[in-house]
Amino acid sequence: MKQPTSPITLPPQPDPAVQETSFEPDTSPILSSSRDEENTPNYGSVARGPPPSTSAPAPAPARALAPDLLRGLLMAFMALDHTSLMLRSWPHGTAIDGENDSAPVHEWNRPAAYVIRTLTHLCAPGFTFLLGMGVVYFGRSRTSRPPDKRWTTGQLAWHFLVRAVVLTIISSIMGLAVSGGKVWFLNMVLFSLAVDYLMAGLTWMAVVKTERLLAFTVLKVLPLSKKDDVTEPLLPGPEPQLHGEEEMAPDVEIIRAADISWHIHNVFLAVAAVVMIWWNIWLSPTGGRCGVDPTPKLPESDWIKIWFYPIMDHRIKSGFPPLAWMSFAVLGLLYGRIILARAWSPKAITLGNVLAGLGFLLVFVFTRIFHIGNLSEGCLGMAEHQHGGDQYLASVKSFFYLTKYPPDVAFWAFTMAGNHVLLAFFGALPPLFASKAFHVLLVYGTSALFFYIVHIFMLGALSFPIIALIGREVSDPFSKQPAQGVDQLWGFFLTWTLLLALLYPLCRWYGGFKKAKGPDSIWRFF
């Protein structure tokens, strides 16, 4: 007699009110491990108790600490970089007129400027990486709601599109305001984040769809075993057999099929991330080598170049072409999928981040030693390079000199190593200590876009009186003309500290305002 079957129910998922960077352990019996013990804190320092009952909605989990702390720290680093620009403290880069594809450099920036600029290199990659990571959390939370509130594919795509449009509009308005209307389109970073967010969201949706289809296909070709007492009618099986029983897929085969599909899609994302960062090398007119006649790889139209390569025309200035930075978002998608695959312990997450950081660091060293993946080959012409030899091994500054516009493989590897190490550091801290000792970073990290918008205009307002009080003649970082600025380190750090102090209560207020809004409110974008 044919046995009655019941539909497969999804395990409780993150509450929809939680932001994109929140984390709730996956309580699926297929994805969780018996080795995990109860009350083991998970990633983001949320205590994990027994699996909640499927008859009641899961409680809203707390936000993840480590990603928010990292984002908050990156916001503070970013403010360092922008403070130097507003005060005209020093040239923008680790080397004078450097950090561009195939740009010859002959003079290092001052030591403090070199260190600060190197730290701020972590910002744009970190923001884009966390953006991709957040897409996974957001998508999982919206598609795991009760059936009557679950988002459809169209709703998800519309959300990703609306957010991208909102960020682009904000970027355009800020560009007009900052340039006084002289630049029609100024992409300081938001346009890149907008496009990468949309593409990451659509990629995640495609991966979810194809992962399930591939799992179905794999399950059909796997040998089925009748020895497993517990069976699940996950897939519509063949026609009923002569003896009247349905062909059932044992749990172990379901797990194998899902596991194979999951790993294949993760490999695809990893390969895509590598290809996307390498095309910055392939599309370089000189292949990243100084002294080589440029051969354009892209059409001259700005409408095409703006997606792949920096543009610094009179009316259009874009230092962050979206597709040149997409690799970081894809890495975030991959990271988010791995984190949500099971309820990892904090030690496992920390170890994983350390190993990832070491792996990226090895890739960076490889690019320096074997001269592969750099957009600055033969471009260093400082005093230490006049005697010949390997340019990257001539000095410490040479070894860590990075090309950011567009990012090359060395930049990609170095900055991802730094971000993973910082995630490991924050994830290893006791939750109570981290939330108290780094409370300011949490405030910044949970209102990042608000911080970004306000700090630009606040810096502009602060720079005028500060330059008037303690400024002296300096060289403008962009025009190279004499101008009034603050190049004293004490004045620079005083301004930066004052900026962060003024932003703290504003960001804290906005965080409270945002929490009072619905989980799908547009105010959550900020």
Side-chain angles (χ1 to χ4, degrees):
M1 181 177 178
K2 187 176 179 178
Q3 298 297 323
T5 61
S6 58
I8 299 298
T9 58
L10 290 173
Q13 297 295 326
D15 184 85
V18 181
Q19 292 295 295
E20 291 90 326
T21 51
S22 65
F23 178 80
E24 172 76 350
D26 195 321
T27 55
S28 168
I30 293 178
L31 296 179
S32 61
S33 170
S34 60
R35 291 173 295 179
D36 296 322
E37 299 179 356
E38 294 183 4
N39 300 322
T40 301
N42 64 35
Y43 185 58
S45 306
V46 182
R48 182 174 65 84
S53 171
T54 56
S55 61
R63 285 182 63 95
L65 283 181
D68 282 339
L69 287 170
L70 174 60
R71 190 185 296 104
L73 181 63
L74 294 179
M75 299 306 295
F77 284 171
M78 177 190 67
L80 279 171
D81 199 42
H82 294 167
T83 299
S84 71
L85 289 175
M86 291 292 188
L87 296 181
R88 307 187 187 98
S89 299
W90 43 69
H92 193 231
T94 52
I96 310 301
D97 299 323
E99 299 184 359
N100 295 301
D101 176 19
S102 309
V105 291
H106 303 281
E107 182 183 357
W108 295 118
N109 211 333
R110 56 194 288 192
Y114 184 100
V115 173
I116 290 172
R117 179 61 175 170
T118 301
L119 285 176
T120 64
H121 279 329
L122 302 179
C123 298
F127 294 146
T128 313
F129 172 78
L130 292 173
L131 172 150
M133 179 184 174
V135 163
V136 181
Y137 292 138
F138 180 85
R140 283 286 296 273
S141 71
R142 279 4 181 220
T143 56
S144 299
R145 288 177 170 181
D148 59 326
K149 297 182 179 180
R150 188 174 302 155
W151 280 26
T152 63
T153 300
Q155 286 176 302
L156 282 169
W158 178 250
H159 166 85
F160 295 135
L161 176 62
V162 169
R163 189 164 191 173
V165 170
V166 169
L167 287 173
T168 301
I169 292 174
I170 293 173
S171 177
S172 300
I173 294 174
M174 290 184 66
L176 290 170
V178 170
S179 68
K182 296 179 181 179
V183 178
W184 293 345
F185 185 76
L186 177 61
N187 171 26
M188 294 184 287
V189 75
L190 288 186
F191 175 66
S192 177
L193 294 177
V195 175
D196 289 347
Y197 184 79
L198 174 60
M199 295 186 63
L202 297 178
T203 301
W204 176 82
M205 292 169 59
V207 166
V208 169
K209 180 70 173 179
T210 57
E211 185 176 5
R212 181 173 177 82
L213 292 175
L214 181 59
F216 272 61
T217 303
V218 171
L219 186 55
K220 289 180 180 180
V221 301
L222 285 176
L224 301 181
S225 172
K226 294 284 188 176
K227 297 181 180 180
D228 197 333
D229 292 332
V230 182
T231 59
E232 295 286 0
L234 179 63
L235 304 177
E239 293 297 322
Q241 306 301 307
L242 293 177
H243 49 69
E245 292 184 355
E246 244 184 356
E247 184 83 16
M248 291 290 193
D251 280 355
V252 65
E253 305 302 341
I254 297 174
I255 295 172
R256 282 184 60 196
D259 194 51
I260 290 172
S261 181
W262 183 80
H263 279 91
I264 289 176
H265 281 78
N266 284 350
V267 170
F268 166 77
L269 289 174
V271 171
V274 172
V275 170
M276 287 176 179
I277 196 63
W278 268 100
W279 69 34
N280 292 341
I281 308 294
W282 299 328
L283 294 177
S284 168
T286 64
R289 297 182 177 276
C290 286
V292 176
D293 292 334
T295 303
K297 307 290 180 60
L298 292 169
E300 290 301 316
S301 172
D302 287 346
W303 293 102
I304 296 178
K305 289 178 62 178
I306 196 171
W307 304 101
F308 292 94
Y309 206 74
I311 297 177
M312 290 297 166
D313 291 346
H314 182 60
R315 294 296 187 182
I316 300 177
K317 296 186 184 296
S318 174
F320 295 87
L323 296 183
W325 291 84
M326 186 61 197
S327 175
F328 298 99
V330 173
L331 288 177
L333 288 177
L334 176 60
Y335 184 82
R337 281 170 52 82
I338 294 173
I339 291 297
L340 287 180
R342 64 174 63 189
W344 302 97
S345 69
K347 289 183 179 179
I349 294 292
T350 299
L351 178 61
N353 277 311
V354 169
L355 292 177
L358 290 175
F360 278 111
L361 186 59
L362 287 176
V363 173
F364 170 70
V365 173
F366 186 89
T367 66
R368 303 278 103 160
I369 294 178
F370 295 99
H371 295 264
I372 297 176
N374 301 292
L375 288 175
S376 56
E377 293 292 340
C379 298
L380 302 185
M382 286 72 167
E384 62 264 37
H385 304 108
Q386 304 307 314
H387 307 292
D390 191 313
Q391 66 167 9
Y392 295 122
L393 302 182
S395 64
V396 173
K397 289 182 178 180
S398 302
F399 190 77
F400 290 103
Y401 173 73
L402 302 172
T403 300
K404 183 178 180 180
Y405 306 107
D408 60 10
V409 179
F411 180 94
W412 177 78
F414 178 84
T415 56
M416 286 308 304
N419 278 293
H420 275 292
V421 169
L422 288 173
L423 275 175
F425 170 74
F426 287 128
L429 297 175
L432 185 60
F433 170 80
S435 60
K436 289 185 176 180
F438 298 102
H439 173 71
V440 174
L441 296 184
L442 283 177
V443 171
Y444 297 152
T446 52
S447 53
L449 182 56
F450 176 82
F451 179 109
Y452 177 84
I453 295 172
V454 174
H455 100 285
I456 291 291
F457 296 102
M458 185 175 288
L459 263 177
L462 286 175
S463 63
F464 288 107
I466 291 177
I467 291 176
L469 286 173
I470 61 175
R472 56 191 182 190
E473 186 173 295
V474 298
S475 175
D476 186 276
F478 297 107
S479 69
K480 312 301 180 186
Q481 300 299 315
Q484 290 294 304
V486 177
D487 61 353
Q488 308 96 310
L489 282 179
W490 68 268
F492 167 81
F493 282 110
L494 178 64
T495 304
W496 175 68
T497 303
L498 177 61
L499 172 71
L500 295 183
L502 292 173
L503 282 168
Y504 172 74
L506 294 176
C507 290
R508 189 171 183 178
W509 166 81
Y510 186 80
F513 169 79
K514 182 174 64 173
K515 289 179 181 178
K517 302 300 177 182
D520 302 324
S521 169
I522 194 173
W523 294 107
R524 296 271 181 172
F525 290 177
F526 296 86

